[in-house]
Amino acid sequence: MGESLLGGYEGMYQTYYQRILEEVEAIKTENDYERKSHAFAHWYLMNIRGLSDDDISEYITDGFNDWGIDAVIIDEAKEIIELYQFKLPDKVSNIDKLIGKDEIETFLRGYKICSSGKAPGNANDELKEKIKEILDSDIFTFKMVFVGYSGGLSETAQIILDGELKYIKDTGNKIYWELFDKERIANVIYSSKKTFEDFEIELKQSGSSTGILTSENSASYTIYCSLEELADICEKHKEIIFDENVRLFHGAGNKFNKGIIETAASPDEVINFQLYNNGIVMVSPNVKYIDTRKKLKIRNPMVVNGCQTMNSLLETKSQGKLLEGYVQVKVIEVNDPQIRQNISIFLNSQTEIKDSYLISNLPIIRQLEIDLSEKGYFLERQANKVQTLKKLLSKKEKANVFGLNQNKTISLELAIQLYATFYENMGPIAKKDKSLLFTNENLSIIFKNINAERVICCFELYQRILEVIKSYRQYIRNSRKRAILEYLSIRGMKEAREYTFLNTADIYLLSLFSQFSQKDVCSFDKIGKIVSNHSEWTFQVNEKFDEILLKSIGIMKETIKEQSDNKSIATLTKSQFFHKTLLEKVGMSYFVSS
């Protein structure tokens, strides 16, 4: 495929850089970051990695004496530790510079420190805490991710990296490498495509006819193909046909892919495969349709939707279980670069469906969406619903629907997480692995009493807690932002450092807040008896918000001090035992003060 097919992609880098730079500057100002690299880390983790602002603050270690490690994510569910280094050129003329050996050597040195579990004495506090957390995690698989809006690795840097990675792997350690350079960053955000070697595939129409729809700048061909044919194409071209999407295949063990494999291998189900599957979408610069032979010849196809399906079919075939069946394939011939980019944006911007969205069509969730809407809140019941509506609504309409800065928007996942923490005492699950909230056992508990009023209550209280946490982070980054000192009744940075647990304590603080609220007003089962209704209960709790939150923070500070000798703070703030200890202390402090 020639460069022209990418729509002047290379010439767009400057535009992308300016746009990213503006967003980074805004993040820097909003979060009081001292360094642009810190803000760029935040930008990447939010826009590319898809993390929330609050999660990001837990992961960033960038700053003086960070030893080349700008962020650390410990993914306990996948049992992998992600180490990040971020580089944003200071001016547009530097975006073509290659990544040098010094940067790679620095990053590798940081990996060695993190994997050793021993922090240098002069390492910053954030890095020291993360290294303790790594040690506590008992996870030994690492992934190094270098993110730089610049060129790729220089030849020397590549040689050094390859040699060091081979040495690490030869010692028996598992380590992965991933590079997000300016090309890949732009590809991910705007779904533009890289060039690759020419190749051609053929698809045969199974069924009576091919659906063809043409326009001035495109032609769409819709056919039904045999599952075996697609498995063969995947096997032959999987390193090319998915381009970057090949990394999205999550393996045969993924529950969604297991479903595809089971259907393709079942004599009773495979005949309906095309009814159960959304199909596959490919784009190509050149498609030839041979009507007499019911065949499509497709040059340089790129699968933009259906990577999971094709890889699952290949897996089924490799197990010798693939049966005769069919699935719909849409092939779009298009050369207009803007159209190609739009197709990719609309189809490739989707992430894997979260567990929360599996319950989105249940009647109780649909009713919750309606009830929240009547109270002025927007429940994002379906994945990507907010982003879809944003494209259709005016600025005024968006403010009406989502609230100012989306302050009236609640994702379904967050609604379940906060409700389970506040009302069902599931803080440890909600903090450590919130996907477990969506098991049948836990949902049966959550669904008993969840309603719009309760979701709004815990959501608004959580937002107020986050404001206090944000105020703390602002002071740590900028000592002139002193509001938190007055709030906590402390005098300066030395005392403020005793509250570093606030960075990771959001869910457990909400859980503590719930316990104190029930002690100070009344328990949930007494609403309607001691206080007239839930609205009155919520009003009284909000009136005592600062008093209750400060007690919660105090209990946590005291407990952290007792238990932090052998465990990192981040480990404690998602530990079930630590949570149990906190709740026991709430009971003790209540009865002492009564």
Side-chain angles (χ1 to χ4, degrees):
M1 184 184 293
E3 281 289 318
S4 61
L5 294 177
L6 297 177
Y9 183 69
E10 189 170 313
M12 294 181 184
Y13 286 138
Q14 291 81 358
T15 302
Y16 298 161
Y17 172 78
Q18 294 298 339
R19 180 171 176 176
I20 292 170
L21 191 61
E22 289 173 7
E23 293 175 1
V24 166
E25 290 290 355
I27 290 171
K28 183 173 180 289
T29 300
E30 182 179 348
N31 293 275
D32 292 299
Y33 291 139
E34 293 183 6
R35 297 153 59 110
K36 192 181 295 182
S37 59
H38 204 152
F40 180 51
H42 188 124
W43 177 90
Y44 172 88
L45 294 172
M46 178 174 64
N47 290 283
I48 307 296
R49 190 66 165 71
L51 302 175
S52 68
D53 283 340
D54 195 59
D55 286 338
I56 289 168
S57 296
E58 293 188 23
Y59 302 139
I60 293 180
T61 56
D62 180 37
F64 296 107
N65 297 323
D66 61 23
W67 285 83
I69 303 298
D70 297 331
V72 179
I73 298 178
I74 301 173
D75 191 329
E76 297 197 26
K78 295 180 180 178
E79 295 189 344
I80 192 167
I81 295 166
E82 299 176 3
L83 306 178
Y84 288 85
Q85 187 174 117
F86 300 95
K87 299 293 180 185
L88 181 65
D90 55 355
K91 53 187 177 181
V92 70
S93 59
N94 288 335
I95 66 175
D96 293 324
K97 286 188 175 181
L98 297 178
I99 300 163
K101 70 179 185 67
D102 291 345
E103 292 163 309
I104 295 302
E105 287 174 340
T106 299
F107 198 10
L108 287 166
R109 185 167 61 245
Y111 156 75
K112 291 176 183 177
I113 289 170
C114 290
S115 60
S116 73
K118 298 178 182 178
N122 67 343
N124 64 42
D125 291 340
E126 290 77 14
L127 182 60
K128 286 180 179 177
E129 184 63 26
K130 280 298 176 187
I131 291 175
K132 282 184 66 179
E133 191 179 351
I134 289 170
L135 199 59
D136 293 338
S137 72
D138 282 333
I139 298 173
F140 305 101
T141 300
F142 286 81
K143 182 178 183 180
M144 298 175 64
V145 185
F146 193 103
V147 182
Y149 198 85
S150 59
L153 297 178
S154 69
E155 184 178 0
T156 306
Q158 187 70 62
I159 292 171
I160 291 172
L161 176 66
D162 291 343
E164 193 63 31
L165 292 180
K166 183 179 184 303
Y167 172 78
I168 294 169
K169 291 175 181 178
D170 286 346
T171 63
N173 293 315
K174 289 186 178 180
I175 187 167
Y176 301 93
W177 166 266
E178 193 163 13
L179 173 65
F180 278 82
D181 57 12
K182 72 176 190 295
E183 183 176 4
R184 190 167 182 196
I185 291 171
N187 280 345
V188 173
I189 302 171
Y190 302 103
S191 301
S192 298
K193 304 304 176 187
K194 299 178 182 178
T195 59
F196 43 77
E197 63 183 81
D198 283 340
F199 69 106
E200 188 176 82
I201 67 170
E202 291 186 359
L203 294 178
K204 185 177 180 181
Q205 161 69 36
S206 298
S208 59
S209 63
T210 298
I212 303 174
L213 181 65
T214 62
S215 65
E216 291 181 356
N217 49 24
S218 69
S220 297
Y221 302 83
T222 303
I223 63 175
Y224 284 88
C225 297
S226 76
L227 304 186
E228 185 173 4
E229 182 179 21
L230 290 167
D232 290 341
I233 289 171
C234 182
E235 184 174 26
K236 185 176 181 180
H237 300 292
K238 64 181 179 179
E239 297 299 326
I240 301 174
I241 200 167
F242 301 114
D243 196 21
E244 292 182 14
N245 290 341
V246 68
R247 65 185 176 84
L248 295 178
F249 181 57
H250 297 300
N254 176 275
K255 60 184 176 182
F256 302 106
N257 294 336
K258 282 175 69 176
I260 296 173
I261 293 168
E262 289 169 3
T263 302
S266 167
D268 295 329
E269 296 290 346
V270 74
I271 58 174
N272 292 320
F273 191 96
Q274 73 274 14
L275 304 180
Y276 302 153
N277 192 280
N278 288 329
I280 294 162
V281 181
M282 302 179 184
V283 294
S284 165
N286 185 266
V287 179
K288 292 180 181 178
Y289 176 52
I290 307 170
D291 182 53
T292 55
R293 298 172 63 185
K294 292 186 177 180
K295 184 180 292 186
L296 290 177
K297 286 190 174 183
I298 309 162
R299 184 167 68 86
N300 293 336
M302 178 173 293
V303 174
V304 293
N305 201 7
C307 176
Q308 301 299 322
T309 296
M310 290 185 68
N311 278 281
S312 295
L313 293 176
L314 177 58
E315 177 64 25
T316 312
K317 180 188 174 185
S318 69
Q319 297 176 10
K321 299 177 181 179
L322 186 63
L323 298 174
E324 184 176 356
Y326 304 93
V327 70
Q328 180 179 285
V329 179
K330 179 190 287 185
V331 183
I332 304 171
E333 181 186 46
V334 59
N335 283 284
D336 185 302
Q338 190 61 54
I339 299 297
R340 287 177 62 87
Q341 288 181 9
N342 286 343
I343 291 171
S344 298
I345 289 169
F346 297 141
L347 294 180
N348 265 357
S349 61
Q350 300 172 19
T351 57
E352 182 182 12
I353 296 174
K354 296 180 180 179
D355 290 331
S356 58
Y357 294 112
L358 295 177
I359 65 172
S360 63
N361 287 315
L362 295 180
I364 189 171
I365 299 301
R366 286 186 173 274
Q367 188 60 49
L368 182 63
E369 179 186 31
I370 294 169
D371 294 343
L372 284 168
S373 178
E374 291 176 352
K375 294 178 181 295
Y377 284 80
F378 181 84
L379 179 69
E380 190 177 22
R381 182 178 60 83
Q382 298 169 294
N384 300 315
K385 184 70 172 180
V386 171
Q387 292 303 318
T388 300
L389 287 177
K390 277 184 174 181
K391 298 169 185 175
L392 304 175
L393 301 177
S394 67
K395 185 177 181 180
K396 183 177 180 181
E397 289 171 332
K398 283 186 278 193
N400 288 335
V401 173
F402 305 128
L404 295 175
N405 297 318
Q406 294 186 208
N407 67 337
K408 296 293 185 181
T409 301
I410 313 172
S411 72
L412 177 54
E413 182 180 65
L414 182 63
I416 297 295
Q417 183 187 25
L418 299 184
Y419 174 85
T421 297
F422 196 81
Y423 288 98
E424 304 298 347
N425 200 24
M426 295 182 181
I429 300 174
K431 181 65 178 178
K432 188 170 184 178
D433 190 358
K434 54 192 171 187
S435 66
L436 295 178
L437 294 172
F438 301 95
T439 63
N440 287 336
E441 181 181 359
N442 288 328
L443 285 176
S444 66
I445 297 170
I446 292 166
F447 284 165
K448 281 183 180 178
N449 296 304
I450 193 171
N451 59 38
E453 190 174 34
R454 289 186 165 208
V455 169
I456 292 170
C457 173
C458 58
F459 174 75
E460 291 186 339
L461 290 171
Y462 180 67
Q463 294 304 310
R464 292 185 70 179
I465 291 171
L466 289 185
E467 284 299 313
V468 174
I469 293 174
K470 181 179 179 180
S471 178
Y472 173 78
R473 290 170 177 159
Q474 286 176 330
Y475 175 71
I476 295 299
R477 295 167 187 154
N478 184 348
S479 59
R480 295 190 297 273
K481 306 274 187 173
R482 301 174 62 85
I484 193 65
L485 299 183
E486 181 177 352
Y487 189 84
L488 296 176
S489 299
I490 57 179
R491 288 172 291 185
M493 188 63 72
K494 183 177 180 180
E495 287 187 66
R497 288 292 183 184
E498 296 176 8
Y499 292 83
T500 54
F501 61 87
L502 289 175
N503 284 318
T504 58
D506 57 333
I507 293 298
Y508 278 16
L509 276 179
L510 181 66
S511 183
L512 273 173
F513 194 101
S514 170
Q515 298 301 313
F516 274 123
S517 298
Q518 294 179 75
K519 294 290 186 183
D520 292 359
V521 180
C522 76
S523 59
F524 298 134
D525 61 352
K526 297 294 193 298
I527 295 175
K529 301 173 184 177
I530 295 178
V531 297
S532 58
N533 52 47
H534 193 279
S535 294
E536 175 61 26
W537 185 90
T538 302
F539 175 80
Q540 290 190 33
V541 168
N542 273 287
E543 287 289 294
K544 297 182 176 184
F545 177 85
D546 291 328
E547 174 188 343
I548 294 173
L549 181 58
L550 286 170
K551 284 196 291 187
S552 302
I553 292 172
I555 287 287
M556 188 170 288
K557 179 174 180 288
E558 174 186 323
T559 312
I560 287 282
K561 189 174 182 180
E562 293 171 356
Q563 298 191 11
S564 63
D565 288 343
N566 299 318
K567 294 287 185 182
S568 73
I569 291 172
T571 300
L572 288 174
T573 52
K574 54 188 175 187
S575 158
Q576 188 168 359
F577 177 79
F578 180 70
H579 183 259
K580 181 174 179 286
T581 304
L582 290 174
L583 300 196
E584 288 173 350
K585 284 181 174 289
V586 172
M588 289 168 57
S589 65
Y590 173 73
F591 289 115
V592 168
S593 61
S594 296

